[in-house]
Amino acid sequence: MYGQYDRRRQREVRLVRVNPNGNGLGRGRRGRRRRMQSRAVLLAFSLFLIITCMGAMFYVVNMDAQESLSEGETDTSMVVKQGERGDVKIPGREEAVPTAIPKEAILVAIDPGHGGVDGGSDRDGVLEKEVNLEIANRLKDKLEELGFEVMMIREDNDTFINKQDRADKANQAGADAYISIHQNTYEEYDNEVSGIETYYCGDTDGSQEFAQLIHNGVITATGARDRELRETDGLYVVREAKMPSCLVEASYLTNKKEREAIVTPEYQDKLASGMAEGIYHYFFGEEP
């Protein structure tokens, strides 16, 4: 009997030792709390590292963008400086861009053929020197609207200028291009011959392309018969001009239809528009 009592008392003692006043449960809660705190610290540290890395990347990208912008602004200013007249590279039109090269820096010499005592061709009261000047003045206005500088070799119908002085004026002024405007004839009142032909001298760099673009422009603008581009060294003004140059025979005064058309403002304006388009295309590689 005493043995059973002792065993029961020992069992009770062991139970008390296992869970005295609930202290074991408290230690479990504190352990979980510590683990949660450790995880929170680790998460906070990870977020800090991520935010720091993102900030560093943003700073680097922003600095690179600012450097690229600064370099772009420097390059543009260099192009504009090179665009000043005298530094314009005539043969390299494919490198030129209208927004990069100031058009006012390009000087075009316009030469209305004949003048003064030299009236040129004359058919039924249509005098070549007068028609040439009308077209030249219209071309001048259109080029100035596009931003070009223009010099007129002849500005009125009373002034005579010999062919040597015409080329010399353009050369001395440092013109970047030269265009001479004329009217053609073929025997007396031959209505079978008509159209536009354009001459250039192949010895001058850029003249063939310059002449071709102007010729294409006037043919397209007027719808006249295409008498093609023609190379020659027999025309003094295009041979002696030191810049890309051409001479345009804009009509045949011996052809009744063309003679009547060439005195009208509408047809003259078409010719001037085609010439201006060709000149613009030559320097900037595109239509105005």
Side-chain angles (χ1 to χ4, degrees), residues 116-162:
V117 295
D118 178 13
S121 301
D122 182 4
R123 293 294 186 278
D124 285 352
V126 179
L127 191 58
E128 181 183 359
K129 71 175 183 178
E130 295 176 353
V131 173
N132 295 344
L133 185 60
E134 287 290 334
I135 298 171
N137 284 331
R138 292 177 184 276
L139 175 58
K140 175 179 180 293
D141 292 342
K142 293 183 183 299
L143 289 178
E144 289 178 341
E145 288 175 1
L146 291 171
F148 291 89
E149 288 184 1
V150 175
M151 68 170 295
M152 297 288 286
I153 300 298
R154 172 170 70 87
E155 299 185 81
D156 58 62
N157 285 316
D158 298 325
T159 302
F160 170 78
I161 305 174
N162 63 45

mmCIF file of all heavy atoms in Angstrom, residues 116-162:
data_model
loop_
_atom_site.group_PDB
_atom_site.id
_atom_site.type_symbol
_atom_site.label_atom_id
_atom_site.label_comp_id
_atom_site.label_asym_id
_atom_site.label_seq_id
_atom_site.Cartn_x
_atom_site.Cartn_y
_atom_site.Cartn_z
ATOM 1 N N GLY A 116 21.537 95.461 -122.439
ATOM 2 C CA GLY A 116 22.047 96.687 -123.056
ATOM 3 C C GLY A 116 21.921 96.626 -124.567
ATOM 4 O O GLY A 116 20.861 96.293 -125.107
ATOM 5 N N VAL A 117 23.025 96.952 -125.241
ATOM 6 C CA VAL A 117 23.013 96.952 -126.708
ATOM 7 C C VAL A 117 22.891 95.539 -127.282
ATOM 8 O O VAL A 117 22.580 95.377 -128.470
ATOM 9 C CB VAL A 117 24.298 97.625 -127.256
ATOM 10 C CG1 VAL A 117 24.340 99.097 -126.880
ATOM 11 C CG2 VAL A 117 25.552 96.903 -126.747
ATOM 12 N N ASP A 118 23.129 94.549 -126.473
ATOM 13 C CA ASP A 118 23.012 93.153 -126.905
ATOM 14 C C ASP A 118 21.648 92.633 -126.479
ATOM 15 O O ASP A 118 21.459 92.198 -125.345
ATOM 16 C CB ASP A 118 24.131 92.320 -126.279
ATOM 17 C CG ASP A 118 24.053 90.842 -126.647
ATOM 18 O OD1 ASP A 118 23.278 90.504 -127.571
ATOM 19 O OD2 ASP A 118 24.748 90.043 -126.004
ATOM 20 N N GLY A 119 20.703 92.694 -127.419
ATOM 21 C CA GLY A 119 19.335 92.285 -127.097
ATOM 22 C C GLY A 119 19.102 90.797 -127.187
ATOM 23 O O GLY A 119 18.071 90.300 -126.733
ATOM 24 N N GLY A 120 20.035 90.052 -127.794
ATOM 25 C CA GLY A 120 19.836 88.620 -127.994
ATOM 26 C C GLY A 120 18.861 88.363 -129.130
ATOM 27 O O GLY A 120 18.702 89.184 -130.045
ATOM 28 N N SER A 121 18.168 87.253 -129.078
ATOM 29 C CA SER A 121 17.217 86.895 -130.141
ATOM 30 C C SER A 121 15.975 87.781 -130.060
ATOM 31 O O SER A 121 15.572 88.236 -128.995
ATOM 32 C CB SER A 121 16.804 85.429 -130.006
ATOM 33 O OG SER A 121 17.935 84.584 -130.082
ATOM 34 N N ASP A 122 15.342 87.983 -131.239
ATOM 35 C CA ASP A 122 14.151 88.846 -131.310
ATOM 36 C C ASP A 122 13.201 88.261 -132.347
ATOM 37 O O ASP A 122 13.534 88.188 -133.522
ATOM 38 C CB ASP A 122 14.577 90.261 -131.689
ATOM 39 C CG ASP A 122 13.391 91.215 -131.735
ATOM 40 O OD1 ASP A 122 12.272 90.790 -131.411
ATOM 41 O OD2 ASP A 122 13.594 92.388 -132.107
ATOM 42 N N ARG A 123 12.019 87.846 -131.888
ATOM 43 C CA ARG A 123 11.021 87.301 -132.806
ATOM 44 C C ARG A 123 9.657 87.880 -132.455
ATOM 45 O O ARG A 123 9.186 87.749 -131.316
ATOM 46 C CB ARG A 123 10.953 85.766 -132.721
ATOM 47 C CG ARG A 123 12.215 85.044 -133.222
ATOM 48 C CD ARG A 123 12.427 85.225 -134.716
ATOM 49 N NE ARG A 123 13.535 84.438 -135.206
ATOM 50 C CZ ARG A 123 14.815 84.786 -135.137
ATOM 51 N NH1 ARG A 123 15.143 85.949 -134.570
ATOM 52 N NH2 ARG A 123 15.752 84.000 -135.632
ATOM 53 N N ASP A 124 9.034 88.522 -133.418
ATOM 54 C CA ASP A 124 7.684 89.083 -133.268
ATOM 55 C C ASP A 124 7.549 89.959 -132.023
ATOM 56 O O ASP A 124 6.567 89.886 -131.279
ATOM 57 C CB ASP A 124 6.641 87.971 -133.228
ATOM 58 C CG ASP A 124 6.395 87.374 -134.611
ATOM 59 O OD1 ASP A 124 6.913 87.925 -135.607
ATOM 60 O OD2 ASP A 124 5.698 86.339 -134.687
ATOM 61 N N GLY A 125 8.561 90.761 -131.784
ATOM 62 C CA GLY A 125 8.524 91.689 -130.658
ATOM 63 C C GLY A 125 8.933 91.079 -129.328
ATOM 64 O O GLY A 125 8.922 91.765 -128.293
ATOM 65 N N VAL A 126 9.242 89.805 -129.326
ATOM 66 C CA VAL A 126 9.721 89.160 -128.092
ATOM 67 C C VAL A 126 11.238 89.254 -128.071
ATOM 68 O O VAL A 126 11.919 88.640 -128.895
ATOM 69 C CB VAL A 126 9.282 87.682 -128.022
ATOM 70 C CG1 VAL A 126 9.822 87.037 -126.745
ATOM 71 C CG2 VAL A 126 7.768 87.579 -128.086
ATOM 72 N N LEU A 127 11.769 90.054 -127.141
ATOM 73 C CA LEU A 127 13.201 90.312 -127.061
ATOM 74 C C LEU A 127 13.812 89.442 -125.960
ATOM 75 O O LEU A 127 13.364 89.471 -124.806
ATOM 76 C CB LEU A 127 13.450 91.792 -126.780
ATOM 77 C CG LEU A 127 14.880 92.303 -126.908
ATOM 78 C CD1 LEU A 127 15.428 92.048 -128.315
ATOM 79 C CD2 LEU A 127 14.936 93.800 -126.579
ATOM 80 N N GLU A 128 14.836 88.696 -126.324
ATOM 81 C CA GLU A 128 15.407 87.715 -125.395
ATOM 82 C C GLU A 128 15.894 88.331 -124.098
ATOM 83 O O GLU A 128 15.635 87.800 -123.011
ATOM 84 C CB GLU A 128 16.563 86.957 -126.071
ATOM 85 C CG GLU A 128 17.169 85.900 -125.153
ATOM 86 C CD GLU A 128 18.354 85.180 -125.768
ATOM 87 O OE1 GLU A 128 18.713 85.484 -126.935
ATOM 88 O OE2 GLU A 128 18.942 84.323 -125.073
ATOM 89 N N LYS A 129 16.608 89.467 -124.160
ATOM 90 C CA LYS A 129 17.175 90.031 -122.936
ATOM 91 C C LYS A 129 16.081 90.360 -121.912
ATOM 92 O O LYS A 129 16.289 90.227 -120.700
ATOM 93 C CB LYS A 129 18.013 91.272 -123.253
ATOM 94 C CG LYS A 129 17.216 92.499 -123.677
ATOM 95 C CD LYS A 129 18.127 93.709 -123.846
ATOM 96 C CE LYS A 129 17.320 94.977 -124.197
ATOM 97 N NZ LYS A 129 18.200 96.169 -124.328
ATOM 98 N N GLU A 130 14.915 90.765 -122.389
ATOM 99 C CA GLU A 130 13.822 91.119 -121.480
ATOM 100 C C GLU A 130 13.210 89.881 -120.836
ATOM 101 O O GLU A 130 12.914 89.866 -119.633
ATOM 102 C CB GLU A 130 12.763 91.909 -122.248
ATOM 103 C CG GLU A 130 13.268 93.254 -122.758
ATOM 104 C CD GLU A 130 12.234 93.980 -123.609
ATOM 105 O OE1 GLU A 130 11.180 93.356 -123.899
ATOM 106 O OE2 GLU A 130 12.472 95.141 -123.977
ATOM 107 N N VAL A 131 13.021 88.836 -121.632
ATOM 108 C CA VAL A 131 12.471 87.584 -121.103
ATOM 109 C C VAL A 131 13.437 86.979 -120.083
ATOM 110 O O VAL A 131 13.031 86.506 -119.012
ATOM 111 C CB VAL A 131 12.193 86.596 -122.248
ATOM 112 C CG1 VAL A 131 11.785 85.234 -121.684
ATOM 113 C CG2 VAL A 131 11.110 87.127 -123.167
ATOM 114 N N ASN A 132 14.722 87.009 -120.416
ATOM 115 C CA ASN A 132 15.725 86.455 -119.503
ATOM 116 C C ASN A 132 15.684 87.139 -118.136
ATOM 117 O O ASN A 132 15.763 86.482 -117.090
ATOM 118 C CB ASN A 132 17.129 86.609 -120.096
ATOM 119 C CG ASN A 132 17.321 85.791 -121.361
ATOM 120 O OD1 ASN A 132 16.550 84.882 -121.658
ATOM 121 N ND2 ASN A 132 18.356 86.119 -122.131
ATOM 122 N N LEU A 133 15.567 88.459 -118.146
ATOM 123 C CA LEU A 133 15.556 89.201 -116.887
ATOM 124 C C LEU A 133 14.287 88.921 -116.080
ATOM 125 O O LEU A 133 14.328 88.829 -114.843
ATOM 126 C CB LEU A 133 15.689 90.702 -117.155
ATOM 127 C CG LEU A 133 15.806 91.582 -115.907
ATOM 128 C CD1 LEU A 133 17.040 91.205 -115.083
ATOM 129 C CD2 LEU A 133 15.858 93.064 -116.304
ATOM 130 N N GLU A 134 13.153 88.769 -116.769
ATOM 131 C CA GLU A 134 11.907 88.459 -116.073
ATOM 132 C C GLU A 134 12.022 87.121 -115.324
ATOM 133 O O GLU A 134 11.640 87.014 -114.150
ATOM 134 C CB GLU A 134 10.749 88.391 -117.078
ATOM 135 C CG GLU A 134 10.304 89.737 -117.622
ATOM 136 C CD GLU A 134 9.610 90.585 -116.564
ATOM 137 O OE1 GLU A 134 9.043 90.000 -115.609
ATOM 138 O OE2 GLU A 134 9.636 91.816 -116.688
ATOM 139 N N ILE A 135 12.541 86.130 -116.013
ATOM 140 C CA ILE A 135 12.692 84.808 -115.383
ATOM 141 C C ILE A 135 13.712 84.880 -114.249
ATOM 142 O O ILE A 135 13.515 84.302 -113.170
ATOM 143 C CB ILE A 135 13.115 83.764 -116.428
ATOM 144 C CG1 ILE A 135 12.029 83.619 -117.501
ATOM 145 C CG2 ILE A 135 13.399 82.415 -115.769
ATOM 146 C CD1 ILE A 135 12.451 82.768 -118.694
ATOM 147 N N ALA A 136 14.798 85.609 -114.470
ATOM 148 C CA ALA A 136 15.850 85.736 -113.453
ATOM 149 C C ALA A 136 15.314 86.389 -112.178
ATOM 150 O O ALA A 136 15.638 85.963 -111.064
ATOM 151 C CB ALA A 136 17.023 86.534 -114.007
ATOM 152 N N ASN A 137 14.507 87.433 -112.330
ATOM 153 C CA ASN A 137 13.942 88.098 -111.151
ATOM 154 C C ASN A 137 13.000 87.175 -110.368
ATOM 155 O O ASN A 137 12.967 87.202 -109.138
ATOM 156 C CB ASN A 137 13.201 89.372 -111.574
ATOM 157 C CG ASN A 137 14.142 90.516 -111.906
ATOM 158 O OD1 ASN A 137 15.249 90.605 -111.350
ATOM 159 N ND2 ASN A 137 13.734 91.392 -112.815
ATOM 160 N N ARG A 138 12.247 86.373 -111.095
ATOM 161 C CA ARG A 138 11.359 85.421 -110.418
ATOM 162 C C ARG A 138 12.174 84.353 -109.680
ATOM 163 O O ARG A 138 11.836 83.942 -108.559
ATOM 164 C CB ARG A 138 10.418 84.762 -111.434
ATOM 165 C CG ARG A 138 9.402 85.737 -112.028
ATOM 166 C CD ARG A 138 8.522 85.067 -113.081
ATOM 167 N NE ARG A 138 7.636 86.046 -113.698
ATOM 168 C CZ ARG A 138 6.463 86.434 -113.187
ATOM 169 N NH1 ARG A 138 6.041 85.887 -112.046
ATOM 170 N NH2 ARG A 138 5.723 87.325 -113.810
ATOM 171 N N LEU A 139 13.246 83.906 -110.313
ATOM 172 C CA LEU A 139 14.120 82.929 -109.663
ATOM 173 C C LEU A 139 14.756 83.527 -108.409
ATOM 174 O O LEU A 139 14.861 82.865 -107.374
ATOM 175 C CB LEU A 139 15.194 82.458 -110.645
ATOM 176 C CG LEU A 139 16.260 81.513 -110.070
ATOM 177 C CD1 LEU A 139 15.620 80.249 -109.486
ATOM 178 C CD2 LEU A 139 17.289 81.159 -111.152
ATOM 179 N N LYS A 140 15.180 84.763 -108.506
ATOM 180 C CA LYS A 140 15.777 85.454 -107.354
ATOM 181 C C LYS A 140 14.813 85.452 -106.165
ATOM 182 O O LYS A 140 15.194 85.120 -105.031
ATOM 183 C CB LYS A 140 16.132 86.888 -107.742
ATOM 184 C CG LYS A 140 16.648 87.757 -106.592
ATOM 185 C CD LYS A 140 16.984 89.160 -107.103
ATOM 186 C CE LYS A 140 17.510 90.047 -105.976
ATOM 187 N NZ LYS A 140 16.492 90.349 -104.955
ATOM 188 N N ASP A 141 13.559 85.813 -106.419
ATOM 189 C CA ASP A 141 12.567 85.869 -105.347
ATOM 190 C C ASP A 141 12.370 84.493 -104.702
ATOM 191 O O ASP A 141 12.271 84.370 -103.473
ATOM 192 C CB ASP A 141 11.232 86.383 -105.883
ATOM 193 C CG ASP A 141 11.296 87.855 -106.291
ATOM 194 O OD1 ASP A 141 12.239 88.559 -105.849
ATOM 195 O OD2 ASP A 141 10.414 88.291 -107.058
ATOM 196 N N LYS A 142 12.319 83.463 -105.520
ATOM 197 C CA LYS A 142 12.069 82.116 -104.986
ATOM 198 C C LYS A 142 13.259 81.618 -104.164
ATOM 199 O O LYS A 142 13.084 80.981 -103.112
ATOM 200 C CB LYS A 142 11.761 81.152 -106.134
ATOM 201 C CG LYS A 142 10.434 81.461 -106.830
ATOM 202 C CD LYS A 142 10.100 80.465 -107.911
ATOM 203 C CE LYS A 142 8.810 80.848 -108.617
ATOM 204 N NZ LYS A 142 7.643 80.882 -107.692
ATOM 205 N N LEU A 143 14.468 81.892 -104.629
ATOM 206 C CA LEU A 143 15.640 81.455 -103.875
ATOM 207 C C LEU A 143 15.749 82.196 -102.546
ATOM 208 O O LEU A 143 16.101 81.603 -101.521
ATOM 209 C CB LEU A 143 16.911 81.665 -104.706
ATOM 210 C CG LEU A 143 17.093 80.726 -105.903
ATOM 211 C CD1 LEU A 143 18.363 81.082 -106.668
ATOM 212 C CD2 LEU A 143 17.147 79.274 -105.462
ATOM 213 N N GLU A 144 15.449 83.479 -102.559
ATOM 214 C CA GLU A 144 15.495 84.244 -101.307
ATOM 215 C C GLU A 144 14.441 83.749 -100.319
ATOM 216 O O GLU A 144 14.673 83.737 -99.105
ATOM 217 C CB GLU A 144 15.330 85.731 -101.598
ATOM 218 C CG GLU A 144 16.557 86.344 -102.276
ATOM 219 C CD GLU A 144 16.392 87.815 -102.617
ATOM 220 O OE1 GLU A 144 15.228 88.295 -102.679
ATOM 221 O OE2 GLU A 144 17.423 88.495 -102.822
ATOM 222 N N GLU A 145 13.296 83.344 -100.828
ATOM 223 C CA GLU A 145 12.267 82.775 -99.954
ATOM 224 C C GLU A 145 12.752 81.478 -99.313
ATOM 225 O O GLU A 145 12.370 81.150 -98.183
ATOM 226 C CB GLU A 145 10.987 82.506 -100.750
ATOM 227 C CG GLU A 145 10.225 83.766 -101.146
ATOM 228 C CD GLU A 145 9.028 83.460 -102.025
ATOM 229 O OE1 GLU A 145 8.783 82.255 -102.299
ATOM 230 O OE2 GLU A 145 8.336 84.407 -102.441
ATOM 231 N N LEU A 146 13.607 80.750 -100.019
ATOM 232 C CA LEU A 146 14.164 79.513 -99.491
ATOM 233 C C LEU A 146 15.355 79.768 -98.573
ATOM 234 O O LEU A 146 15.882 78.825 -97.963
ATOM 235 C CB LEU A 146 14.589 78.588 -100.640
ATOM 236 C CG LEU A 146 13.459 77.998 -101.476
ATOM 237 C CD1 LEU A 146 14.015 77.278 -102.701
ATOM 238 C CD2 LEU A 146 12.608 77.047 -100.643
ATOM 239 N N GLY A 147 15.807 81.022 -98.480
ATOM 240 C CA GLY A 147 16.888 81.362 -97.565
ATOM 241 C C GLY A 147 18.246 81.528 -98.204
ATOM 242 O O GLY A 147 19.235 81.737 -97.492
ATOM 243 N N PHE A 148 18.357 81.447 -99.533
ATOM 244 C CA PHE A 148 19.643 81.633 -100.201
ATOM 245 C C PHE A 148 19.987 83.117 -100.316
ATOM 246 O O PHE A 148 19.105 83.973 -100.349
ATOM 247 C CB PHE A 148 19.607 81.032 -101.617
ATOM 248 C CG PHE A 148 19.534 79.538 -101.655
ATOM 249 C CD1 PHE A 148 18.319 78.879 -101.637
ATOM 250 C CD2 PHE A 148 20.688 78.770 -101.708
ATOM 251 C CE1 PHE A 148 18.235 77.495 -101.680
ATOM 252 C CE2 PHE A 148 20.628 77.385 -101.746
ATOM 253 C CZ PHE A 148 19.397 76.751 -101.728
ATOM 254 N N GLU A 149 21.284 83.383 -100.418
ATOM 255 C CA GLU A 149 21.736 84.700 -100.849
ATOM 256 C C GLU A 149 21.791 84.697 -102.376
ATOM 257 O O GLU A 149 22.122 83.680 -102.981
ATOM 258 C CB GLU A 149 23.125 85.017 -100.296
ATOM 259 C CG GLU A 149 23.154 85.296 -98.809
ATOM 260 C CD GLU A 149 24.528 85.687 -98.320
ATOM 261 O OE1 GLU A 149 25.459 85.757 -99.161
ATOM 262 O OE2 GLU A 149 24.695 85.913 -97.118
ATOM 263 N N VAL A 150 21.481 85.812 -102.990
ATOM 264 C CA VAL A 150 21.448 85.885 -104.455
ATOM 265 C C VAL A 150 22.185 87.131 -104.922
ATOM 266 O O VAL A 150 22.034 88.214 -104.343
ATOM 267 C CB VAL A 150 19.989 85.925 -104.976
ATOM 268 C CG1 VAL A 150 19.965 86.118 -106.496
ATOM 269 C CG2 VAL A 150 19.249 84.647 -104.596
ATOM 270 N N MET A 151 22.996 86.974 -105.968
ATOM 271 C CA MET A 151 23.584 88.128 -106.641
ATOM 272 C C MET A 151 23.153 88.102 -108.104
ATOM 273 O O MET A 151 23.162 87.046 -108.742
ATOM 274 C CB MET A 151 25.114 88.131 -106.531
ATOM 275 C CG MET A 151 25.831 87.034 -107.291
ATOM 276 S SD MET A 151 27.638 87.251 -107.359
ATOM 277 C CE MET A 151 27.778 88.761 -108.327
ATOM 278 N N MET A 152 22.725 89.249 -108.602
ATOM 279 C CA MET A 152 22.311 89.348 -109.996
ATOM 280 C C MET A 152 23.475 89.899 -110.810
ATOM 281 O O MET A 152 23.987 90.985 -110.520
ATOM 282 C CB MET A 152 21.097 90.266 -110.114
ATOM 283 C CG MET A 152 19.857 89.764 -109.376
ATOM 284 S SD MET A 152 19.088 88.341 -110.189
ATOM 285 C CE MET A 152 18.321 89.155 -111.600
ATOM 286 N N ILE A 153 23.870 89.157 -111.833
ATOM 287 C CA ILE A 153 24.951 89.636 -112.701
ATOM 288 C C ILE A 153 24.481 90.858 -113.485
ATOM 289 O O ILE A 153 25.241 91.803 -113.705
ATOM 290 C CB ILE A 153 25.392 88.524 -113.672
ATOM 291 C CG1 ILE A 153 25.898 87.300 -112.882
ATOM 292 C CG2 ILE A 153 26.466 89.029 -114.628
ATOM 293 C CD1 ILE A 153 27.095 87.557 -112.011
ATOM 294 N N ARG A 154 23.228 90.858 -113.868
ATOM 295 C CA ARG A 154 22.622 92.022 -114.546
ATOM 296 C C ARG A 154 21.278 92.297 -113.905
ATOM 297 O O ARG A 154 20.476 91.385 -113.712
ATOM 298 C CB ARG A 154 22.461 91.714 -116.043
ATOM 299 C CG ARG A 154 21.679 92.754 -116.808
ATOM 300 C CD ARG A 154 21.753 92.519 -118.300
ATOM 301 N NE ARG A 154 21.015 91.348 -118.757
ATOM 302 C CZ ARG A 154 19.721 91.327 -119.086
ATOM 303 N NH1 ARG A 154 18.996 92.436 -118.964
ATOM 304 N NH2 ARG A 154 19.153 90.232 -119.546
ATOM 305 N N GLU A 155 20.996 93.565 -113.575
ATOM 306 C CA GLU A 155 19.774 93.908 -112.855
ATOM 307 C C GLU A 155 18.791 94.731 -113.675
ATOM 308 O O GLU A 155 17.673 94.992 -113.208
ATOM 309 C CB GLU A 155 20.117 94.655 -111.571
ATOM 310 C CG GLU A 155 20.969 93.827 -110.610
ATOM 311 C CD GLU A 155 21.196 94.522 -109.286
ATOM 312 O OE1 GLU A 155 20.279 94.453 -108.440
ATOM 313 O OE2 GLU A 155 22.260 95.145 -109.117
ATOM 314 N N ASP A 156 19.177 95.153 -114.860
ATOM 315 C CA ASP A 156 18.251 95.914 -115.707
ATOM 316 C C ASP A 156 18.541 95.594 -117.164
ATOM 317 O O ASP A 156 19.522 94.900 -117.482
ATOM 318 C CB ASP A 156 18.388 97.426 -115.454
ATOM 319 C CG ASP A 156 19.803 97.936 -115.689
ATOM 320 O OD1 ASP A 156 20.305 97.848 -116.845
ATOM 321 O OD2 ASP A 156 20.437 98.421 -114.716
ATOM 322 N N ASN A 157 17.692 96.093 -118.047
ATOM 323 C CA ASN A 157 17.837 95.796 -119.479
ATOM 324 C C ASN A 157 18.717 96.798 -120.220
ATOM 325 O O ASN A 157 18.963 96.623 -121.415
ATOM 326 C CB ASN A 157 16.453 95.742 -120.134
ATOM 327 C CG ASN A 157 15.706 94.457 -119.800
ATOM 328 O OD1 ASN A 157 16.279 93.370 -119.833
ATOM 329 N ND2 ASN A 157 14.429 94.584 -119.467
ATOM 330 N N ASP A 158 19.191 97.814 -119.523
ATOM 331 C CA ASP A 158 20.002 98.846 -120.178
ATOM 332 C C ASP A 158 21.492 98.602 -120.031
ATOM 333 O O ASP A 158 22.298 99.261 -120.691
ATOM 334 C CB ASP A 158 19.667 100.227 -119.591
ATOM 335 C CG ASP A 158 18.207 100.599 -119.825
ATOM 336 O OD1 ASP A 158 17.675 100.235 -120.892
ATOM 337 O OD2 ASP A 158 17.608 101.231 -118.927
ATOM 338 N N THR A 159 21.874 97.681 -119.156
ATOM 339 C CA THR A 159 23.294 97.457 -118.867
ATOM 340 C C THR A 159 23.857 96.341 -119.733
ATOM 341 O O THR A 159 23.283 95.247 -119.809
ATOM 342 C CB THR A 159 23.486 97.091 -117.385
ATOM 343 O OG1 THR A 159 22.959 98.140 -116.566
ATOM 344 C CG2 THR A 159 24.967 96.903 -117.058
ATOM 345 N N PHE A 160 24.991 96.652 -120.363
ATOM 346 C CA PHE A 160 25.697 95.640 -121.147
ATOM 347 C C PHE A 160 26.891 95.137 -120.331
ATOM 348 O O PHE A 160 27.673 95.924 -119.802
ATOM 349 C CB PHE A 160 26.190 96.203 -122.478
ATOM 350 C CG PHE A 160 27.122 95.268 -123.201
ATOM 351 C CD1 PHE A 160 26.620 94.180 -123.899
ATOM 352 C CD2 PHE A 160 28.500 95.463 -123.152
ATOM 353 C CE1 PHE A 160 27.472 93.313 -124.563
ATOM 354 C CE2 PHE A 160 29.366 94.595 -123.808
ATOM 355 C CZ PHE A 160 28.845 93.515 -124.514
ATOM 356 N N ILE A 161 27.013 93.840 -120.235
ATOM 357 C CA ILE A 161 28.144 93.218 -119.535
ATOM 358 C C ILE A 161 28.708 92.139 -120.448
ATOM 359 O O ILE A 161 27.980 91.247 -120.890
ATOM 360 C CB ILE A 161 27.709 92.584 -118.197
ATOM 361 C CG1 ILE A 161 27.009 93.612 -117.314
ATOM 362 C CG2 ILE A 161 28.902 91.983 -117.465
ATOM 363 C CD1 ILE A 161 26.435 93.023 -116.043
ATOM 364 N N ASN A 162 30.020 92.232 -120.724
ATOM 365 C CA ASN A 162 30.591 91.213 -121.608
ATOM 366 C C ASN A 162 30.749 89.887 -120.864
ATOM 367 O O ASN A 162 30.689 89.825 -119.635
ATOM 368 C CB ASN A 162 31.927 91.685 -122.207
ATOM 369 C CG ASN A 162 32.990 91.910 -121.140
ATOM 370 O OD1 ASN A 162 33.171 91.106 -120.231
ATOM 371 N ND2 ASN A 162 33.712 93.031 -121.251
#
